[in-house]
Amino acid sequence: MIVGDTIKRTGEWTEAADTITLDESARHRRRMAMVSDGGIAFLLDLPEALLLVDGDAILLDDGRLVAVKAKPEQLLEIRGHDARHLLALAWQIGNRHLAAQLLDDAILIRRDDVVRSMLEGLGARVTETEAAFDPEGGAYEPSGHHHPAETARS
């Protein structure tokens, strides 16, 4: 079986043989059998789990590159009245241990009707959106967490 054991980050490569489109949970892996969008079957076998982001590439042991594309997901975009209000909303989201992507003026979370209702009850402006989801890493995640701002919205 073909093996992919090296990740080339955005800007470290120029041409890929194929693409693989993955949601956030499938982009955070260490070892997994995968099939590219064009049908290349390979084993992702990394030394540690990494979050792959849109624009990264997986180097296969036969020399080909498979470009990673972030699959748009159904999300909620949360906005507050001002920065202080948005911080209070972020605290509520964190208190529920929800994965969240922090933008300059909004927070993205996976769609959840119960959480949406709670946030709207706290005065948040909540809209549905579809975008790549790159939530913040945990406190114990390695310091090399790759989180580019340009993947924040589509």
Side-chain angles (χ1 to χ4, degrees):
M1 175 172 255
I2 299 168
V3 176
D5 63 0
T6 303
I7 302 304
K8 298 289 188 181
R9 296 297 189 180
T10 302
E12 297 179 351
W13 61 277
T14 56
E15 190 172 329
D18 202 353
T19 60
I20 188 163
T21 306
L22 305 166
D23 66 14
E24 183 270 333
S25 61
R27 287 184 286 118
H28 194 209
R29 298 288 179 186
R30 185 192 81 73
R31 192 167 202 266
M32 180 178 170
M34 300 182 130
V35 178
S36 70
D37 298 335
I40 301 170
F42 64 95
L43 174 67
L44 179 69
D45 191 15
L46 303 173
E48 61 185 17
L50 294 176
L51 176 60
L52 306 175
V53 297
D54 193 83
D56 286 347
I58 303 164
L59 176 61
L60 305 179
D61 60 4
D62 65 5
R64 292 181 290 177
L65 288 169
V66 176
V68 175
K69 294 176 73 174
K71 180 180 180 179
E73 300 184 49
Q74 295 185 351
L75 305 172
L76 294 176
E77 181 177 88
I78 299 128
R79 294 181 180 274
H81 304 297
D82 54 30
R84 168 69 177 81
H85 185 224
L86 188 61
L87 282 172
L89 297 169
W91 187 90
Q92 293 292 338
I93 292 165
N95 193 42
R96 284 153 184 79
H97 302 281
L98 299 175
Q101 181 175 347
L102 306 177
L103 307 175
D104 288 341
D105 57 353
I107 301 166
L108 298 177
I109 63 171
R110 288 188 176 93
R111 286 191 193 167
D112 181 313
D113 291 336
V114 172
V115 174
R116 178 186 190 146
S117 179
M118 181 263 308
L119 292 167
E120 288 174 337
L122 294 170
R125 293 184 315 275
V126 181
T127 55
E128 293 183 358
T129 189
E130 200 167 292
F133 187 49
D134 287 312
E136 292 297 311
Y140 302 104
E141 193 161 310
S143 60
H145 180 66
H146 186 68
H147 194 252
E150 65 270 11
T151 62
R153 297 183 194 169
S154 62

